[in-house]
Amino acid sequence: MAAAGEVLDHVLRLGRPRSVWLPEAVAAVAALHEDGDLHRVLYDHAASTPALAEAFEQTNEALRSRVEELLRAETDLADPGTTAQVLVALVESLTHRLVGTTDADTLAREVTRAANAYLNAACASPRPVGASP
């Protein structure tokens, strides 16, 4: 868990544009999941192992928080916290769903494409649906 956090801390350091940190972060997440069988075993047993579940939760929250910081620095989103939460879930969910179905480079490229599409849409309409102009 510590090694994953160190990799993501390096990739998600402040002052870098989204065009750099997003593909690097997605590639790092894909690489962390490259051994799909091992990751599934860890993920399946996390719920029954409180310390492991807590470590997963802390890593996820640190990741969400850093992505929020990066979004705040680079965008004028109305709710960068929620956007960061959805972005992290999007990357993690697609990676979990697709790991083992293709190679890590293809997985990273396609997940990055989906993440960029989401962020481009979020940045194009910074106010929540139904909010007053």
Side-chain angles (χ1 to χ4, degrees):
M1 236 11 114
E6 290 170 12
V7 168
L8 291 169
D9 277 348
H10 175 73
V11 168
L12 296 174
R13 59 193 184 278
L14 297 175
R16 302 173 78 214
R18 179 179 91 191
S19 61
V20 174
W21 64 258
L22 182 59
E24 286 182 7
V26 171
V29 170
L32 291 169
H33 292 77
E34 206 162 22
D35 186 342
D37 292 336
L38 173 62
H39 188 77
R40 281 189 189 95
V41 168
L42 288 171
Y43 191 79
D44 289 344
H45 292 291
S48 63
T49 309
L52 188 54
E54 180 65 22
F56 275 122
E57 186 58 37
Q58 287 176 351
T59 299
N60 190 285
E61 178 52 30
L63 182 57
R64 189 216 53 80
S65 179
R66 180 59 60 88
V67 170
E68 180 180 354
E69 286 181 78
L70 288 162
L71 292 175
R72 283 187 189 283
E74 192 175 346
T75 69
D76 63 348
L77 290 164
D79 188 356
T82 298
T83 301
Q85 185 174 11
V86 171
L87 182 62
V88 169
L90 179 149
V91 171
E92 192 69 14
S93 296
L94 286 176
T95 301
H96 280 155
R97 176 71 174 94
L98 299 172
V99 70
T101 64
T102 188
D103 63 275
D105 290 338
T106 301
L107 175 65
R109 183 186 68 238
E110 295 304 314
V111 173
T112 299
R113 183 181 297 175
N116 267 317
Y118 168 69
L119 283 176
N120 288 339
C123 289
S125 56
R127 277 191 286 290
V129 174
S132 302

